[in-house]
Amino acid sequence: MKQRKPIVSLLLAACLLLGLGVTGLAAEPGDPRPVILAVFSGTADAGGLRWDIGGAEEALARAYPGYEIRRAFTSRDVIDAARERDGLEIDDMTEAMERLIADGVRDVIVVPVCVLEDGEYELIRSTAGGYAGAFDSLRIGRGLLGGVFAGEAMAAALSSELRRWAHRDTAIVLAGRGTDHAANAAYTLLQEALTEAGYEKVFVGTMEADPDREAVLALLEQTGVKKVVVLPLLPAADEYVYDEIAGSGENSWKSVLESQGYKVTCVTKGVGGYRGVQALLVSLVEEAELIAVPAEEPEEELAEEPEEEPAEEPEEEPEEEPVEEPEEEPAEEPEEEPAEEPGEEPIAAVGVMASDLVPGRYPLKVYASSSRFLVRDAVLAVTEDGMTALLTLEGHRYGELFPGTAADAERADEEEIISFRWGEDDGMVFVLPVTSLDTELTFAAWNIRRGCWQDQILILSSEMLPEEAFIC
């Protein structure tokens, strides 16, 4: 997918380096605005802070302008290093939750920016859960590779970056850290999704678990390529990226690949800086799970109450009056339903064509077959050559559209796919070709989270067009 989000401004980047989070979005003291708490393992690297962590926070801020964006790191070592080296003050998870309570915040969404739902993710979740009773609402998102369709979603989120580096004589290695946690299996699911999506020379590998480096080297040898690009499969560029991936040590990915005769390029950037992954992260916020407060006390009181109710009142209820209730009149009422009127309500089969309208731009009403396909704003552009619709979607669920069925979209060339551009308030704007108004139009929408095409039926209604738009 082609993400065209504007680059983070220099002012924002400078503020991120100073450890101020998303400057300008922080609430004033006592302001009860809801908070999105973005939690990272952390990095003290300036580039990782600016582009990866800062980019992810900026994406969240633009998608949720009513929320304050706050930051927390799980690594105490990184927090201390950032303070000592750069004077940055960053909360750990507990400090961040305590600060939320002290500031009177009532609604919180915790966003763990983790690739895997491993031990680190579980720590974030358990720490947040311990504070559930302190807020009116506390929700938590999934990891980037969490959930049934996470492999497909991540493959789609990385597609723009993979296409950038894909060349005939080049293979790509997505280098993850690896873990003995059961969540490590998500790497294999990602590899399967990448292969299914047609990325025959993209391989997932780790240094500490499966798929291991030896397996990746064997796959690279089968491709016959001469060049390898290594992309870190980590949220942000950190010490691990510079030492274990791009470092000069004999055991780094770069050194091992070069020893096998490959020309190696190591990208020192985390996935948090990729536009597609940022869109995926935003979609995970939309699906964040509510953390319920455990209820313990009510159980003792319920044990005594039931004894008093059933003793005296059951005999008074069976009265003999209902025998007279069945009247014979309602039997005739169903015949009065107007059977023929609904046939006139649907919009006319022959729709409004471009030749029926005066060239110009008009407000448009859109009806969709799926309740999840939410259109925030729609504008119809009429020219002598035809009509197009500018649709701004609510949320970040769909990343691409195609004029046809989902099955057709799977076989379509990239030039036929309709990508979005970023509009105001982080809206995703699509420009669709329109053959006619007031008729059913078949489109396919790429679901970012599920990583698949889904059929949509759209009706672009002329009901909002002014009278002067029509040619008499």
Side-chain angles (χ1 to χ4, degrees), residues 139-142 282-289 397 449:
R139 297 162 60 198
I140 187 166
R142 301 292 301 265
V282 168
S283 74
L284 293 175
V285 177
E286 296 175 3
E287 301 174 7
E289 174 191 353
R397 183 176 299 275
R449 175 62 179 147

Side-chain angles (χ1 to χ4, degrees), residues 150-211:
E152 290 87 344
M154 190 64 165
L158 292 170
S159 61
S160 182
E161 198 68 18
L162 296 178
R163 291 171 188 167
R164 174 186 174 188
W165 292 103
H167 300 286
R168 183 177 301 175
D169 62 344
T170 303
I172 299 172
V173 174
L174 296 173
R177 193 184 296 269
T179 174
D180 57 4
H181 192 281
N184 193 82
Y187 285 131
T188 301
L189 297 179
L190 174 59
Q191 181 66 73
E192 293 174 355
L194 289 165
T195 304
E196 183 67 23
Y199 294 106
E200 298 177 353
K201 292 186 290 186
V202 178
F203 307 109
V204 180
T206 73
M207 291 184 66
E208 303 172 22
D210 292 326

Side-chain angles (χ1 to χ4, degrees), residues 318-330:
E319 299 180 8
E320 300 179 5
E321 293 181 9
V323 179
E324 299 178 7
E325 289 183 12
E327 300 178 8
E328 300 178 6
E329 295 179 8

Side-chain angles (χ1 to χ4, degrees), residues 358-371:
V358 177
R361 295 169 68 90
Y362 307 104
L364 197 60
K365 180 70 175 179
V366 180
Y367 296 95
S369 58
S370 171
S371 60

Side-chain angles (χ1 to χ4, degrees), residues 222-406:
Q222 294 175 17
T223 65
V225 301
K226 303 297 183 182
K227 303 175 183 177
V228 178
V229 175
V230 185
L231 303 179
L233 200 54
L234 302 168
D238 58 8
E239 186 176 341
Y240 184 90
V241 170
Y242 288 98
D243 292 345
E244 306 300 329
I245 294 179
S248 58
E250 63 179 15
N251 198 42
S252 71
W253 275 99
K254 184 175 186 293
S255 297
V256 170
L257 289 169
E258 286 179 339
S259 70
Q260 299 296 312
Y262 296 106
K263 182 178 180 180
V264 182
T265 299
C266 291
V267 178
T268 54
K269 180 178 182 180
V271 297
Y274 298 155
R275 300 294 189 258
V277 175
Q278 291 168 6
L280 174 58
L281 186 65
V282 168
S283 74
L284 293 175
V285 177
E286 296 175 3
E287 301 174 7
E289 174 191 353
L290 182 68
I291 298 180
V293 181
E296 300 177 1
E297 299 180 3
E299 296 180 3
E300 299 178 5
E301 299 178 6
L302 294 173
E304 301 176 5
E305 294 180 5
E307 299 178 6
E308 302 177 8
E309 295 182 5
E312 301 178 10
E313 298 184 13
E315 298 181 8
E316 298 179 13
E317 292 183 7
E319 299 180 8
E320 300 179 5
E321 293 181 9
V323 179
E324 299 178 7
E325 289 183 12
E327 300 178 8
E328 300 178 6
E329 295 179 8
E332 301 176 8
E333 292 181 8
E335 298 178 10
E336 299 179 10
E337 295 182 5
E340 299 181 8
E341 286 187 12
E344 301 175 5
E345 287 291 334
I347 301 168
V350 179
V352 176
M353 312 295 288
S355 57
D356 300 322
L357 299 172
V358 177
R361 295 169 68 90
Y362 307 104
L364 197 60
K365 180 70 175 179
V366 180
Y367 296 95
S369 58
S370 171
S371 60
R372 293 181 179 273
F373 193 92
L374 302 176
V375 179
R376 181 195 303 173
D377 183 60
V379 175
L380 177 69
V382 182
T383 67
E384 294 180 356
D385 298 325
M387 298 186 293
T388 55
L390 282 71
L391 304 188
T392 302
L393 300 190
E394 191 71 54
H396 301 80
R397 183 176 299 275
Y398 302 106
E400 293 177 328
L401 297 179
F402 174 78
T405 66

Side-chain angles (χ1 to χ4, degrees), residues 8-17 21-23 25 50 54 57-58:
V8 181
S9 67
L10 292 176
L11 176 60
L12 174 64
C15 293
L16 289 170
L17 282 174
V22 182
T23 307
L25 295 168
R50 176 186 297 179
E57 291 173 337
E58 168 68 0

Side-chain angles (χ1 to χ4, degrees), residues 401-405 408 416-418 433 442-444:
L401 297 179
F402 174 78
T405 66
D408 293 335
E416 300 176 88
I417 304 299
I418 302 171
T442 300
F443 279 88

